[in-house]
Amino acid sequence: MTPRRRATLRDIAAALDLSVNTVSRALAGKDAVSAETRERVRAEADRLGYVPNTMARSLVLQNAMTIGLVITNPSNPFYARLISAIEERGRVHGYSLMLMVTEDSADNERRVAEELMRWGVDGVLAVPVQHGIDHWERLGKSGTPVLLLNRDLPGLDADLVGVDYYDSARRATEHLVDGGARELYLVEEDLDISPVNERIRGFHAVLAERGIAVRDDHVLRVPTRRREASSQPWDPIDSYAVGRRLADRIEPGSAVLAGNDYFALGLYRAFTEHGLSIPGDVAVAGHGDHPFAAYLAPPLTTVRLPAARVGTTAVDRLLERMAGAPPADAPARTLLEADLVVRSSTAGPSAARTGGTS
């Protein structure tokens, strides 16, 4: 079956014995065309199934009305919420979204940056792999503003909008210490990225301030499965093995902060299989407030990340750059505060004081 050819302005003009220019002006609602002609043109356009060619229009106007969004993995619940917020905010301003995925591969990221340059998008929001800045610099020099999302990229002259992970880890760690824990552990993924590094920094800062000895084995790095199964950013099995080893030596009254709720899920199983009670023997907190967190037994204390606010703030800032807002002396860094959601997995003095449940 031969595909039907897409209707054009020329087809409408031929059917009505009008000029292409008249048809174009009629569809655009120009006053120079009579109401009767506009009605005839619109009716014929509907009959032929005419759809405006947005790409051709963008070539003429030098405006694609498209924002490029580069993320590492769409199956991460945080990025799923982020995508929705960005798409909705962009649509309000008339922009479509072009989504590109790098799977945390530097090679993929360079290819994606080149593709975005060829497509001529109006601006780019990027969660960077954090290996190399040349391709982002080329995109910026081509006239396409680039804004970083959730991860910093030192050396790149670009705005950043993300979560204040240093503060979120500090608040979660303080909550665990206030609950009576004197032996604390942080379970983090093994990627060298700014959110992980900032959470480690916040965790260490609280221990040092509270006079708790900081040892190398207080931070346990989980070898994630990203390299083997890129469609799943985390898997509880990644932290389950770490949790089993930790359960053999952890002292009663200790606490563990997980870098994401999936890691906390693996720790739950490891600890309970070992006969440890949560929170009786060990308190557990996470990051992300994923939908399952409130339904674990016991419900998980976790950090609720402001994904939607990150998305809308980033779009608004990018639109300012696209409209020609001059760069400041230094790129703007906007880090949004997360919310600590206290549930019974960390039941203790601090939970009683805040009364926080969700």
Side-chain angles (χ1 to χ4, degrees):
M1 180 178 178
T2 304
R4 181 179 177 183
R5 184 176 64 83
R6 179 173 180 161
T8 66
L9 292 177
R10 194 175 298 279
D11 295 328
I12 301 172
L16 299 177
D17 195 25
L18 297 171
S19 70
V20 172
N21 187 44
T22 298
V23 169
S24 176
R25 285 187 284 115
L27 290 174
K30 300 295 185 182
D31 293 337
V33 180
S34 69
E36 179 185 358
T37 299
R38 283 200 300 270
E39 186 60 33
R40 288 177 59 215
V41 168
R42 287 170 183 163
E44 185 64 17
D46 289 341
R47 187 185 74 81
L48 294 176
Y50 170 76
V51 178
N53 189 325
T54 303
M55 184 175 292
R57 177 182 178 276
S58 69
L59 290 173
V60 173
L61 299 178
Q62 295 294 299
N63 188 336
M65 296 303 293
T66 301
I67 292 173
L69 173 59
V70 182
I71 63 172
T72 54
N73 198 305
S75 59
N76 181 330
F78 174 84
Y79 291 139
R81 294 192 295 269
L82 184 73
I83 292 168
S84 295
I86 290 172
E87 193 280 331
E88 181 179 358
R89 192 67 154 200
R91 178 161 28 90
V92 167
H93 293 278
Y95 286 87
S96 299
L97 195 65
M98 180 180 288
L99 177 64
M100 312 290 275
V101 178
T102 65
E103 302 288 6
D104 261 313
S105 162
D107 290 338
N108 286 348
E109 184 177 84
R110 284 190 287 271
R111 174 184 56 77
V112 161
E114 293 295 332
E115 289 183 12
L116 290 171
M117 194 179 307
R118 287 197 297 270
W119 277 101
V121 297
D122 299 294
V124 172
L125 301 170
V127 180
V129 174
Q130 298 196 293
H131 295 289
I133 64 173
D134 292 350
H135 45 290
W136 296 126
E137 286 183 329
R138 286 196 300 274
L139 192 57
K141 289 177 181 177
S142 73
T144 305
V146 177
L147 184 145
L148 299 175
L149 280 173
N150 209 45
R151 295 183 183 180
D152 200 0
L153 191 53
L156 183 66
D157 186 19
D159 297 329
L160 166 70
V161 176
V163 178
D164 191 341
Y165 288 107
Y166 172 79
D167 178 71
S168 72
R170 278 191 61 96
R171 293 170 62 198
T173 306
E174 287 172 345
H175 168 72
L176 294 173
V177 175
D178 290 344
R182 298 299 295 172
E183 188 81 0
L184 291 97
Y185 298 88
L186 174 64
V187 175
E188 270 293 357
E189 58 185 322
D190 61 349
L191 291 180
D192 183 18
I193 56 177
S194 58
V196 171
N197 296 335
E198 286 300 288
R199 285 193 294 266
I200 292 174
R201 193 167 69 88
F203 175 77
H204 278 160
V206 173
L207 266 58
E209 291 168 6
R210 299 299 185 93
I212 300 173
V214 179
R215 302 195 312 265
D216 290 341
D217 65 351
H218 276 161
V219 177
L220 308 174
R221 304 301 286 262
V222 177
T224 65
R225 302 172 62 194
R226 291 172 187 262
R227 292 172 295 279
E228 301 172 14
S230 58
S231 62
Q232 178 64 45
W234 301 302
D235 192 308
I237 197 171
D238 295 329
S239 60
Y240 172 69
V242 172
R244 289 190 63 180
R245 293 192 296 270
L246 181 58
D248 287 332
R249 61 184 173 88
I250 199 166
E251 295 292 331
S254 298
V256 182
L257 174 61
N260 64 72
D261 290 347
Y262 285 93
F263 287 176
L265 191 57
L267 295 173
Y268 263 51
R269 178 173 177 179
F271 292 160
T272 54
E273 284 183 350
H274 202 271
L276 296 173
S277 167
I278 302 172
D281 294 317
V282 55
V284 178
H287 257 82
D289 196 26
H290 299 325
F292 61 80
Y295 297 94
L296 293 177
L300 178 67
T301 291
T302 186
V303 175
R304 180 176 295 157
L305 304 177
R309 285 194 292 127
V310 169
T312 55
T313 302
V315 171
D316 290 346
R317 184 58 182 155
L318 183 65
L319 290 174
E320 292 176 2
R321 293 298 194 200
M322 288 159 49
D329 293 336
R333 293 173 52 85
T334 304
L335 299 179
L336 302 179
E337 184 178 284
D339 296 320
L340 179 64
V341 181
V342 178
R343 300 189 178 105
S344 52
S345 68
T346 58
S350 60
R353 282 197 300 272
T354 62
T357 58
S358 178

